[in-house]
mmCIF file of all heavy atoms in Angstrom:
data_model
loop_
_atom_site.group_PDB
_atom_site.id
_atom_site.type_symbol
_atom_site.label_atom_id
_atom_site.label_comp_id
_atom_site.label_asym_id
_atom_site.label_seq_id
_atom_site.Cartn_x
_atom_site.Cartn_y
_atom_site.Cartn_z
ATOM 1 N N GLY A 1 8.147 -27.267 -7.228
ATOM 2 C CA GLY A 1 8.542 -26.640 -8.521
ATOM 3 C C GLY A 1 7.379 -25.911 -9.233
ATOM 4 O O GLY A 1 7.662 -25.118 -10.172
ATOM 5 N N PHE A 2 6.159 -26.179 -8.827
ATOM 6 C CA PHE A 2 5.019 -25.503 -9.492
ATOM 7 C C PHE A 2 4.894 -24.094 -9.039
ATOM 8 O O PHE A 2 5.283 -23.694 -7.954
ATOM 9 C CB PHE A 2 3.721 -26.289 -9.221
ATOM 10 C CG PHE A 2 3.550 -27.488 -10.155
ATOM 11 C CD1 PHE A 2 4.051 -28.715 -9.835
ATOM 12 C CD2 PHE A 2 2.882 -27.331 -11.365
ATOM 13 C CE1 PHE A 2 3.933 -29.786 -10.685
ATOM 14 C CE2 PHE A 2 2.732 -28.382 -12.218
ATOM 15 C CZ PHE A 2 3.261 -29.636 -11.888
ATOM 16 N N PRO A 3 4.303 -23.216 -9.897
ATOM 17 C CA PRO A 3 4.276 -21.768 -9.583
ATOM 18 C C PRO A 3 3.458 -21.405 -8.368
ATOM 19 O O PRO A 3 2.412 -21.992 -8.083
ATOM 20 C CB PRO A 3 3.620 -21.223 -10.879
ATOM 21 C CG PRO A 3 3.787 -22.214 -11.901
ATOM 22 C CD PRO A 3 3.719 -23.490 -11.217
ATOM 23 N N ASN A 4 3.976 -20.432 -7.667
ATOM 24 C CA ASN A 4 3.255 -19.802 -6.567
ATOM 25 C C ASN A 4 3.322 -18.292 -6.846
ATOM 26 O O ASN A 4 4.269 -17.597 -6.519
ATOM 27 C CB ASN A 4 3.952 -20.095 -5.215
ATOM 28 C CG ASN A 4 3.314 -19.371 -4.047
ATOM 29 O OD1 ASN A 4 2.220 -18.883 -4.155
ATOM 30 N ND2 ASN A 4 4.039 -19.326 -2.949
ATOM 31 N N ILE A 5 2.292 -17.772 -7.526
ATOM 32 C CA ILE A 5 2.302 -16.463 -8.126
ATOM 33 C C ILE A 5 1.298 -15.526 -7.398
ATOM 34 O O ILE A 5 0.177 -15.985 -7.020
ATOM 35 C CB ILE A 5 1.930 -16.509 -9.588
ATOM 36 C CG1 ILE A 5 2.907 -17.460 -10.341
ATOM 37 C CG2 ILE A 5 2.006 -15.136 -10.247
ATOM 38 C CD1 ILE A 5 2.467 -17.835 -11.704
ATOM 39 N N TYR A 6 1.683 -14.281 -7.233
ATOM 40 C CA TYR A 6 0.746 -13.312 -6.620
ATOM 41 C C TYR A 6 0.774 -12.030 -7.420
ATOM 42 O O TYR A 6 1.838 -11.442 -7.636
ATOM 43 C CB TYR A 6 1.135 -13.020 -5.147
ATOM 44 C CG TYR A 6 0.179 -12.091 -4.428
ATOM 45 C CD1 TYR A 6 -1.033 -12.523 -3.918
ATOM 46 C CD2 TYR A 6 0.489 -10.764 -4.315
ATOM 47 C CE1 TYR A 6 -1.875 -11.674 -3.292
ATOM 48 C CE2 TYR A 6 -0.355 -9.871 -3.623
ATOM 49 C CZ TYR A 6 -1.595 -10.347 -3.135
ATOM 50 O OH TYR A 6 -2.447 -9.532 -2.513
ATOM 51 N N ILE A 7 -0.391 -11.568 -7.856
ATOM 52 C CA ILE A 7 -0.484 -10.324 -8.616
ATOM 53 C C ILE A 7 -0.753 -9.149 -7.603
ATOM 54 O O ILE A 7 -1.786 -9.139 -6.976
ATOM 55 C CB ILE A 7 -1.640 -10.390 -9.635
ATOM 56 C CG1 ILE A 7 -1.358 -11.516 -10.681
ATOM 57 C CG2 ILE A 7 -1.828 -9.025 -10.331
ATOM 58 C CD1 ILE A 7 -2.484 -11.745 -11.645
ATOM 59 N N ASN A 8 0.177 -8.299 -7.517
ATOM 60 C CA ASN A 8 0.037 -7.181 -6.579
ATOM 61 C C ASN A 8 -1.040 -6.206 -7.002
ATOM 62 O O ASN A 8 -1.221 -5.972 -8.201
ATOM 63 C CB ASN A 8 1.411 -6.453 -6.420
ATOM 64 C CG ASN A 8 2.450 -7.285 -5.801
ATOM 65 O OD1 ASN A 8 2.259 -7.918 -4.777
ATOM 66 N ND2 ASN A 8 3.629 -7.342 -6.435
ATOM 67 N N ASN A 9 -1.700 -5.610 -6.062
ATOM 68 C CA ASN A 9 -2.766 -4.565 -6.297
ATOM 69 C C ASN A 9 -3.841 -5.038 -7.204
ATOM 70 O O ASN A 9 -4.374 -4.231 -8.069
ATOM 71 C CB ASN A 9 -2.085 -3.320 -6.874
ATOM 72 C CG ASN A 9 -0.980 -2.801 -6.010
ATOM 73 O OD1 ASN A 9 -1.103 -2.742 -4.798
ATOM 74 N ND2 ASN A 9 0.171 -2.449 -6.629
ATOM 75 N N ALA A 10 -4.237 -6.292 -7.132
ATOM 76 C CA ALA A 10 -5.227 -6.861 -8.066
ATOM 77 C C ALA A 10 -6.570 -6.150 -7.996
ATOM 78 O O ALA A 10 -7.199 -5.863 -9.040
ATOM 79 C CB ALA A 10 -5.429 -8.332 -7.785
ATOM 80 N N GLN A 11 -7.045 -5.782 -6.812
ATOM 81 C CA GLN A 11 -8.328 -5.116 -6.719
ATOM 82 C C GLN A 11 -8.354 -3.717 -7.372
ATOM 83 O O GLN A 11 -9.402 -3.257 -7.824
ATOM 84 C CB GLN A 11 -8.768 -5.055 -5.234
ATOM 85 C CG GLN A 11 -9.122 -6.395 -4.646
ATOM 86 C CD GLN A 11 -10.246 -6.317 -3.603
ATOM 87 O OE1 GLN A 11 -10.776 -5.190 -3.358
ATOM 88 N NE2 GLN A 11 -10.606 -7.422 -3.015
ATOM 89 N N GLU A 12 -7.231 -3.062 -7.379
ATOM 90 C CA GLU A 12 -7.108 -1.746 -7.969
ATOM 91 C C GLU A 12 -7.149 -1.743 -9.477
ATOM 92 O O GLU A 12 -7.208 -0.720 -10.106
ATOM 93 C CB GLU A 12 -5.817 -1.084 -7.495
ATOM 94 C CG GLU A 12 -5.796 -0.858 -5.951
ATOM 95 C CD GLU A 12 -4.453 -0.282 -5.500
ATOM 96 O OE1 GLU A 12 -3.696 0.201 -6.364
ATOM 97 O OE2 GLU A 12 -4.183 -0.305 -4.266
ATOM 98 N N LEU A 13 -7.154 -2.942 -10.062
ATOM 99 C CA LEU A 13 -7.179 -3.043 -11.517
ATOM 100 C C LEU A 13 -8.582 -2.999 -12.090
ATOM 101 O O LEU A 13 -8.754 -2.895 -13.275
ATOM 102 C CB LEU A 13 -6.520 -4.377 -11.968
ATOM 103 C CG LEU A 13 -5.029 -4.558 -11.634
ATOM 104 C CD1 LEU A 13 -4.539 -5.921 -12.047
ATOM 105 C CD2 LEU A 13 -4.201 -3.456 -12.257
ATOM 106 N N ARG A 14 -9.559 -3.019 -11.219
ATOM 107 C CA ARG A 14 -10.963 -3.013 -11.742
ATOM 108 C C ARG A 14 -11.238 -1.709 -12.548
ATOM 109 O O ARG A 14 -11.001 -0.632 -12.087
ATOM 110 C CB ARG A 14 -11.974 -3.093 -10.602
ATOM 111 C CG ARG A 14 -11.892 -4.460 -9.861
ATOM 112 C CD ARG A 14 -12.858 -4.485 -8.687
ATOM 113 N NE ARG A 14 -12.793 -5.787 -8.053
ATOM 114 C CZ ARG A 14 -13.514 -6.124 -6.956
ATOM 115 N NH1 ARG A 14 -14.359 -5.236 -6.434
ATOM 116 N NH2 ARG A 14 -13.401 -7.368 -6.427
ATOM 117 N N GLY A 15 -11.768 -1.950 -13.764
ATOM 118 C CA GLY A 15 -12.064 -0.802 -14.608
ATOM 119 C C GLY A 15 -10.822 -0.174 -15.291
ATOM 120 O O GLY A 15 -11.014 0.846 -15.974
ATOM 121 N N GLN A 16 -9.702 -0.792 -15.175
ATOM 122 C CA GLN A 16 -8.431 -0.237 -15.710
ATOM 123 C C GLN A 16 -8.039 -1.050 -16.992
ATOM 124 O O GLN A 16 -8.443 -2.167 -17.198
ATOM 125 C CB GLN A 16 -7.313 -0.335 -14.713
ATOM 126 C CG GLN A 16 -7.622 0.385 -13.401
ATOM 127 C CD GLN A 16 -7.817 1.872 -13.566
ATOM 128 O OE1 GLN A 16 -7.014 2.528 -14.240
ATOM 129 N NE2 GLN A 16 -8.884 2.394 -12.997
ATOM 130 N N HIS A 17 -7.244 -0.383 -17.814
ATOM 131 C CA HIS A 17 -6.678 -1.016 -19.010
ATOM 132 C C HIS A 17 -5.397 -1.715 -18.575
ATOM 133 O O HIS A 17 -4.503 -1.100 -18.037
ATOM 134 C CB HIS A 17 -6.417 -0.002 -20.100
ATOM 135 C CG HIS A 17 -7.645 0.726 -20.551
ATOM 136 N ND1 HIS A 17 -8.577 0.095 -21.360
ATOM 137 C CD2 HIS A 17 -8.083 1.977 -20.338
ATOM 138 C CE1 HIS A 17 -9.560 0.956 -21.615
ATOM 139 N NE2 HIS A 17 -9.273 2.154 -21.035
ATOM 140 N N VAL A 18 -5.312 -2.998 -18.880
ATOM 141 C CA VAL A 18 -4.217 -3.806 -18.369
ATOM 142 C C VAL A 18 -3.492 -4.513 -19.537
ATOM 143 O O VAL A 18 -4.194 -4.965 -20.513
ATOM 144 C CB VAL A 18 -4.741 -4.879 -17.346
ATOM 145 C CG1 VAL A 18 -3.642 -5.847 -16.987
ATOM 146 C CG2 VAL A 18 -5.292 -4.177 -16.121
ATOM 147 N N ALA A 19 -2.225 -4.612 -19.434
ATOM 148 C CA ALA A 19 -1.409 -5.340 -20.459
ATOM 149 C C ALA A 19 -0.377 -6.229 -19.757
ATOM 150 O O ALA A 19 0.053 -5.948 -18.631
ATOM 151 C CB ALA A 19 -0.743 -4.350 -21.380
ATOM 152 N N PHE A 20 0.032 -7.250 -20.482
ATOM 153 C CA PHE A 20 1.080 -8.145 -19.967
ATOM 154 C C PHE A 20 2.096 -8.369 -21.075
ATOM 155 O O PHE A 20 1.721 -8.742 -22.227
ATOM 156 C CB PHE A 20 0.475 -9.532 -19.546
ATOM 157 C CG PHE A 20 1.490 -10.450 -18.963
ATOM 158 C CD1 PHE A 20 1.937 -10.253 -17.651
ATOM 159 C CD2 PHE A 20 2.028 -11.496 -19.706
ATOM 160 C CE1 PHE A 20 2.927 -11.123 -17.116
ATOM 161 C CE2 PHE A 20 2.948 -12.388 -19.204
ATOM 162 C CZ PHE A 20 3.412 -12.207 -17.884
ATOM 163 N N LEU A 21 3.366 -8.155 -20.733
ATOM 164 C CA LEU A 21 4.477 -8.374 -21.673
ATOM 165 C C LEU A 21 5.073 -9.740 -21.404
ATOM 166 O O LEU A 21 5.638 -9.985 -20.329
ATOM 167 C CB LEU A 21 5.511 -7.269 -21.489
ATOM 168 C CG LEU A 21 6.786 -7.407 -22.334
ATOM 169 C CD1 LEU A 21 6.469 -7.379 -23.843
ATOM 170 C CD2 LEU A 21 7.766 -6.241 -22.013
ATOM 171 N N ALA A 22 4.931 -10.672 -22.354
ATOM 172 C CA ALA A 22 5.314 -12.048 -22.153
ATOM 173 C C ALA A 22 6.569 -12.423 -22.967
ATOM 174 O O ALA A 22 6.914 -11.744 -23.959
ATOM 175 C CB ALA A 22 4.143 -12.960 -22.572
ATOM 176 N N SER A 23 7.259 -13.459 -22.553
ATOM 177 C CA SER A 23 8.369 -14.035 -23.267
ATOM 178 C C SER A 23 8.268 -15.538 -23.169
ATOM 179 O O SER A 23 8.558 -16.097 -22.095
ATOM 180 C CB SER A 23 9.703 -13.516 -22.690
ATOM 181 O OG SER A 23 10.804 -14.179 -23.374
ATOM 182 N N PHE A 24 7.892 -16.186 -24.233
ATOM 183 C CA PHE A 24 7.833 -17.654 -24.286
ATOM 184 C C PHE A 24 9.160 -18.181 -24.796
ATOM 185 O O PHE A 24 9.229 -18.850 -25.806
ATOM 186 C CB PHE A 24 6.660 -18.106 -25.140
ATOM 187 C CG PHE A 24 5.275 -17.795 -24.595
ATOM 188 C CD1 PHE A 24 4.143 -18.176 -25.304
ATOM 189 C CD2 PHE A 24 5.109 -17.260 -23.333
ATOM 190 C CE1 PHE A 24 2.901 -17.921 -24.813
ATOM 191 C CE2 PHE A 24 3.854 -16.962 -22.858
ATOM 192 C CZ PHE A 24 2.744 -17.312 -23.572
ATOM 193 N N SER A 25 10.197 -17.939 -24.034
ATOM 194 C CA SER A 25 11.568 -18.278 -24.458
ATOM 195 C C SER A 25 11.827 -19.743 -24.397
ATOM 196 O O SER A 25 12.794 -20.238 -25.027
ATOM 197 C CB SER A 25 12.573 -17.481 -23.610
ATOM 198 O OG SER A 25 12.421 -17.742 -22.254
ATOM 199 N N SER A 26 11.099 -20.480 -23.607
ATOM 200 C CA SER A 26 11.251 -21.945 -23.490
ATOM 201 C C SER A 26 9.924 -22.492 -23.019
ATOM 202 O O SER A 26 9.068 -21.801 -22.435
ATOM 203 C CB SER A 26 12.360 -22.311 -22.540
ATOM 204 O OG SER A 26 11.972 -21.999 -21.168
ATOM 205 N N THR A 27 9.757 -23.836 -23.251
ATOM 206 C CA THR A 27 8.501 -24.475 -22.785
ATOM 207 C C THR A 27 8.335 -24.399 -21.282
ATOM 208 O O THR A 27 7.220 -24.341 -20.759
ATOM 209 C CB THR A 27 8.427 -25.885 -23.246
ATOM 210 O OG1 THR A 27 9.647 -26.589 -22.754
ATOM 211 C CG2 THR A 27 8.419 -26.038 -24.745
ATOM 212 N N GLY A 28 9.446 -24.288 -20.529
ATOM 213 C CA GLY A 28 9.385 -24.313 -19.109
ATOM 214 C C GLY A 28 8.797 -23.040 -18.467
ATOM 215 O O GLY A 28 8.506 -23.079 -17.304
ATOM 216 N N VAL A 29 8.712 -21.974 -19.207
ATOM 217 C CA VAL A 29 8.214 -20.699 -18.632
ATOM 218 C C VAL A 29 6.813 -20.331 -19.124
ATOM 219 O O VAL A 29 6.247 -19.355 -18.730
ATOM 220 C CB VAL A 29 9.174 -19.521 -18.925
ATOM 221 C CG1 VAL A 29 10.573 -19.813 -18.320
ATOM 222 C CG2 VAL A 29 9.291 -19.216 -20.412
ATOM 223 N N ILE A 30 6.255 -21.190 -20.032
ATOM 224 C CA ILE A 30 4.979 -20.796 -20.633
ATOM 225 C C ILE A 30 3.829 -21.017 -19.618
ATOM 226 O O ILE A 30 2.964 -20.157 -19.502
ATOM 227 C CB ILE A 30 4.718 -21.629 -21.852
ATOM 228 C CG1 ILE A 30 5.678 -21.219 -22.975
ATOM 229 C CG2 ILE A 30 3.289 -21.429 -22.416
ATOM 230 C CD1 ILE A 30 5.564 -21.995 -24.288
ATOM 231 N N PHE A 31 3.865 -22.102 -18.848
ATOM 232 C CA PHE A 31 2.736 -22.421 -17.991
ATOM 233 C C PHE A 31 2.498 -21.342 -16.907
ATOM 234 O O PHE A 31 1.387 -20.921 -16.704
ATOM 235 C CB PHE A 31 2.968 -23.762 -17.285
ATOM 236 C CG PHE A 31 1.902 -24.110 -16.261
ATOM 237 C CD1 PHE A 31 0.631 -24.459 -16.622
ATOM 238 C CD2 PHE A 31 2.145 -24.020 -14.883
ATOM 239 C CE1 PHE A 31 -0.348 -24.824 -15.749
ATOM 240 C CE2 PHE A 31 1.183 -24.327 -13.981
ATOM 241 C CZ PHE A 31 -0.076 -24.715 -14.388
ATOM 242 N N GLU A 32 3.595 -20.862 -16.281
ATOM 243 C CA GLU A 32 3.396 -19.847 -15.262
ATOM 244 C C GLU A 32 2.884 -18.504 -15.828
ATOM 245 O O GLU A 32 2.095 -17.828 -15.217
ATOM 246 C CB GLU A 32 4.691 -19.629 -14.429
ATOM 247 C CG GLU A 32 5.889 -19.257 -15.297
ATOM 248 C CD GLU A 32 7.163 -19.271 -14.431
ATOM 249 O OE1 GLU A 32 7.146 -18.849 -13.280
ATOM 250 O OE2 GLU A 32 8.209 -19.721 -15.019
ATOM 251 N N GLN A 33 3.351 -18.221 -17.022
ATOM 252 C CA GLN A 33 2.840 -16.969 -17.637
ATOM 253 C C GLN A 33 1.389 -17.113 -18.082
ATOM 254 O O GLN A 33 0.578 -16.173 -17.933
ATOM 255 C CB GLN A 33 3.699 -16.611 -18.844
ATOM 256 C CG GLN A 33 5.074 -16.122 -18.419
ATOM 257 C CD GLN A 33 5.930 -15.764 -19.624
ATOM 258 O OE1 GLN A 33 5.848 -14.654 -20.192
ATOM 259 N NE2 GLN A 33 6.808 -16.709 -20.000
ATOM 260 N N LEU A 34 1.038 -18.271 -18.614
ATOM 261 C CA LEU A 34 -0.368 -18.499 -18.998
ATOM 262 C C LEU A 34 -1.294 -18.404 -17.759
ATOM 263 O O LEU A 34 -2.437 -17.907 -17.862
ATOM 264 C CB LEU A 34 -0.551 -19.859 -19.652
ATOM 265 C CG LEU A 34 -0.204 -19.977 -21.150
ATOM 266 C CD1 LEU A 34 -0.368 -21.422 -21.606
ATOM 267 C CD2 LEU A 34 -0.996 -19.008 -21.974
ATOM 268 N N SER A 35 -0.788 -18.861 -16.619
ATOM 269 C CA SER A 35 -1.576 -18.770 -15.397
ATOM 270 C C SER A 35 -1.955 -17.274 -15.044
ATOM 271 O O SER A 35 -3.108 -16.989 -14.664
ATOM 272 C CB SER A 35 -0.836 -19.359 -14.235
ATOM 273 O OG SER A 35 -0.534 -20.668 -14.441
ATOM 274 N N VAL A 36 -1.042 -16.401 -15.285
ATOM 275 C CA VAL A 36 -1.292 -14.954 -15.111
ATOM 276 C C VAL A 36 -2.147 -14.395 -16.222
ATOM 277 O O VAL A 36 -3.096 -13.640 -16.008
ATOM 278 C CB VAL A 36 0.062 -14.192 -15.030
ATOM 279 C CG1 VAL A 36 -0.220 -12.651 -15.036
ATOM 280 C CG2 VAL A 36 0.814 -14.589 -13.759
ATOM 281 N N ILE A 37 -1.821 -14.781 -17.466
ATOM 282 C CA ILE A 37 -2.546 -14.273 -18.601
ATOM 283 C C ILE A 37 -4.042 -14.664 -18.608
ATOM 284 O O ILE A 37 -4.914 -13.866 -18.969
ATOM 285 C CB ILE A 37 -1.878 -14.802 -19.901
ATOM 286 C CG1 ILE A 37 -0.517 -14.205 -20.098
ATOM 287 C CG2 ILE A 37 -2.783 -14.577 -21.154
ATOM 288 C CD1 ILE A 37 0.372 -14.890 -21.121
ATOM 289 N N TYR A 38 -4.329 -15.857 -18.050
ATOM 290 C CA TYR A 38 -5.726 -16.280 -17.959
ATOM 291 C C TYR A 38 -6.445 -15.579 -16.830
ATOM 292 O O TYR A 38 -7.687 -15.453 -16.869
ATOM 293 C CB TYR A 38 -5.783 -17.793 -17.701
ATOM 294 C CG TYR A 38 -5.555 -18.655 -18.953
ATOM 295 C CD1 TYR A 38 -5.115 -18.116 -20.172
ATOM 296 C CD2 TYR A 38 -5.755 -20.002 -18.954
ATOM 297 C CE1 TYR A 38 -4.914 -18.845 -21.269
ATOM 298 C CE2 TYR A 38 -5.529 -20.801 -20.032
ATOM 299 C CZ TYR A 38 -5.116 -20.250 -21.204
ATOM 300 O OH TYR A 38 -4.889 -21.022 -22.339
ATOM 301 N N LEU A 39 -5.715 -15.087 -15.823
ATOM 302 C CA LEU A 39 -6.375 -14.451 -14.693
ATOM 303 C C LEU A 39 -6.607 -12.970 -14.927
ATOM 304 O O LEU A 39 -7.702 -12.474 -14.534
ATOM 305 C CB LEU A 39 -5.553 -14.648 -13.398
ATOM 306 C CG LEU A 39 -6.149 -13.954 -12.152
ATOM 307 C CD1 LEU A 39 -7.515 -14.520 -11.796
ATOM 308 C CD2 LEU A 39 -5.187 -14.121 -10.965
#
């Protein structure tokens, strides 16, 4: 049940402006989004 997440084209993001649109609609979806937000 724990997240298995992969950010596509991660190396191409170097030097780029990046944004993430989040939805903390329940406690159950916050952890997986934070994992991406922290990376």
